[in-house]
Amino acid sequence: MNSSDKDFEKRARALYQEAAHRVDPVTAGRLRAARRTALEAATNQASPHHRARVLVPVGALAAMALAALMIWQPTPGPHDASSQQAAVTSAPVASEQDAEVLPPGTDKADPGLYQNLDFYSWLAANQGGSSSQPKN
């Protein structure tokens, strides 16, 4: 800023101060009300922007945490299979009721086969009844 700009600023500031002292109370009240309204509008407009500024980093952190959890899952190694086999052999012997529910060799079979056991029970019951009926 050069000296003419500084002089202009001083004169403008002095005129503003003088005019502010000469404002009647009714006009000053209206100016204060207008200022409050403008500040409230500015605050309300900045609020969604502020929320967006906060939600974007929070969402990014949540996505990174989810990706890290998906990537950083322990993979079963060769020692895990042997420990699972040891756990199976050390498990108590299943009761006769458990043996009736699942057929032998369930540890090697597809688990999807056991999702609809009620249907297979119904099918076996209905096939047994229909095979005893004479065919025409």
Side-chain angles (χ1 to χ4, degrees):
M1 287 175 110
N2 58 23
S3 63
S4 65
D5 287 341
K6 288 182 181 180
D7 291 338
F8 176 74
E9 184 181 346
K10 285 180 184 179
R11 281 184 289 157
R13 191 174 303 272
L15 286 173
Y16 173 76
Q17 294 294 335
E18 182 182 331
H21 290 294
R22 286 190 285 151
V23 173
D24 63 302
V26 174
T27 305
R30 288 176 40 205
L31 287 172
R32 281 192 298 274
R35 181 195 292 162
R36 265 186 264 128
T37 304
L39 287 174
E40 287 174 5
T43 304
N44 290 340
Q45 288 176 355
S47 182
H49 180 68
H50 177 68
R51 278 187 234 131
R53 290 180 74 187
V54 171
L55 288 178
V56 169
V58 169
L61 285 174
M64 287 188 328
L66 178 64
L69 285 174
M70 292 178 70
I71 291 172
W72 194 17
Q73 289 182 354
T75 57
H79 66 283
D80 290 341
S82 62
S83 65
Q84 286 176 353
Q85 187 177 9
V88 169
T89 57
S90 66
V93 177
S95 66
E96 290 180 22
Q97 185 180 14
D98 290 339
E100 291 177 10
V101 174
L102 297 176
T106 57
D107 57 336
K108 295 177 184 171
D110 181 23
L113 294 175
Y114 301 109
Q115 289 179 348
N116 298 321
L117 287 177
D118 293 334
F119 170 73
Y120 293 122
S121 299
W122 173 83
L123 185 63
N126 286 334
Q127 280 183 347
S130 65
S131 62
S132 63
Q133 293 177 355
K135 294 184 180 180
N136 291 338

